[in-house]
Amino acid sequence: MASRESSVTNGDSSASISPYDCIFEGCQLPVCLRSETMDEEEWPMAEIISKKCDSNGQWRFYVHYNSYNKRLDEWVTADKLDIDHIQLPRKESKSQTSTAAAALIKNTSRAVSPDVTISGASSPLPSSGETVISSSRRSSVALGRKRKNENDNSSEPVGGESSPAQLPPQTGSMHRPIGTHASDDVVTRMKNIEMLELGRHRIKPWYFSPYPQELTTEPVIYLCEFCLKYMKSLTCLARHRTKCNIFHPPGNEIYRKDTISFFEIDGRKNKAYSQNLCLLAKLFLDHKTLYYDTDPFLFYIMTEYDEHGFHIVGYFSKEKESSEDYNVACILTLPCYQRKGYGKLLIEFSYELSKIEGKTGSPEKPLSDLGLLSYRSYWTQTLLEVLINMKNQEDETIPFVTINELCEQTSIRKDDVTSTLQYHNLIHYYKGQYVISLSNEILEHHERSMAKRKIRIDPKCIQWTPKDWSRRGKW
């Protein structure tokens, strides 16, 4: 599908005009996409973000593939473009914008009753008003309160997310206005760092991060893996390591088991480290907007220990005083440590801290695509683990539990509990009761998932006391 370059001559002029000269920002056209995981080339529609002419006079274009995440944005050469199907940018009318905004807030979710009953397949049916679904292939969890209105037409939350009408104000470090990009200007939509070296790993960044401009021209930037200071050459890094005498993140170590440790960093006391951490995180978090004002935040760094020191694996941050009781502001597992169970370990640790505080917690919204997958998986596994344990303890009778009790045991917020059950279609309304059905397929999938979680947080190893930041005059 690759197009051929043509030229246009004007009279006796010998100058030629390339068709790529007419491609400008905002144009959309098919672009050749082939990653390491693809067997064949694909030609998805992509938007031209910027273009430049290299020293050899060849055009290069920075493109965003419309149906793909921004982490795949890249510079491509002219032969990757199909200019025969180019689409010029069209200005969106105000009526279209207002219609799209109205569609975002149209749906409202139906509240789920907090009273729950759990029954086994062989348990006798309860009396009227406590009916549950029972069969030889399904175990059931019933919610024992009647619906307020049988004619309620409001829809339930879809995809494990609250409806816009129920969303809390998004004013933390993850704030992004509805219907807008994290950044609309061309500069911040383009990756500015080509390669990052952190310890023994070289990582290709996913998004823009506001590192100093003089570093963006370097093919690789180098980070000290202990203090996260950035440098432009290996020589600078070697000189820095002779002066940098720390081998772990600054702050208090509040957890250690085997090779996994957690350090608590105060954004006010360790400002330089916190700012460097935020710049690093922005390379892999598209929605993150916190860079320099780190005073109101605590950072919890997960590290892996070996004979060379404590190497950063990931982190999460939380506000010292959150009006909505968020237990996570931003969360990240570095790409070189992903798909090893560390993401769920970070999430589990954040909820263990919430249990010590005696609160229910939830991450700030909106979550990234990978963050939503990790949280939804954690919520599902945790809730199923609690429900299965309760059922196993009550083989002969029908155990009852409320949504509030599930929240107290797991420290997961009520709307996250109900949205998770609804997303997996586990909750049903039957003869005046809400019923949660756990099929054999779900139970088998849960067993396989839990078998893969080789590392778990041991609450006995946490050495941490929560602080009441509202009573402290200054952070």
Side-chain angles (χ1 to χ4, degrees), residues 192-193 209-217 221 230 279 292:
N192 59 335
I193 303 297
S209 183
Y211 278 98
Q213 189 171 1
E214 57 268 20
L215 293 179
T216 61
T217 58
I221 67 169
Y230 46 84
L279 290 174
Y292 302 111

Side-chain angles (χ1 to χ4, degrees), residues 28-45:
Q28 298 193 18
L29 71 169
V31 178
C32 179
L33 171 64
R34 182 171 184 176
S35 66
E36 297 177 356
T37 59
M38 295 180 179
D39 297 331
E40 298 180 355
E41 293 181 352
E42 294 184 6
W43 290 80
M45 292 296 293

Side-chain angles (χ1 to χ4, degrees), residues 215-254:
L215 293 179
T216 61
T217 58
E218 301 293 334
V220 182
I221 67 169
Y222 300 86
L223 266 64
C224 172
E225 59 179 332
F226 300 113
C227 71
L228 303 184
K229 184 177 180 180
Y230 46 84
M231 285 145 282
K232 63 180 182 179
S233 68
L234 273 174
T235 303
C236 294
L237 178 62
R239 186 183 301 115
H240 168 78
R241 285 307 304 160
T242 61
K243 303 175 183 178
C244 182
N245 56 2
I246 66 171
F247 294 91
H248 60 80
N252 300 323
E253 185 179 12
I254 61 175

Side-chain angles (χ1 to χ4, degrees), residues 338-345 348 377 381 385 443-456:
Q338 290 179 359
R339 304 186 67 84
K340 296 182 179 180
Y342 291 128
K344 284 193 179 69
L345 204 66
E348 185 178 5
S377 176
Q381 292 178 4
E385 192 173 30
L443 297 176
E444 291 171 0
H445 182 270
H446 173 70
E447 291 178 0
R448 292 194 299 268
S449 299
M450 296 303 293
K452 296 178 182 178
R453 291 182 65 177
K454 303 296 184 183
I455 49 178
R456 300 289 298 271

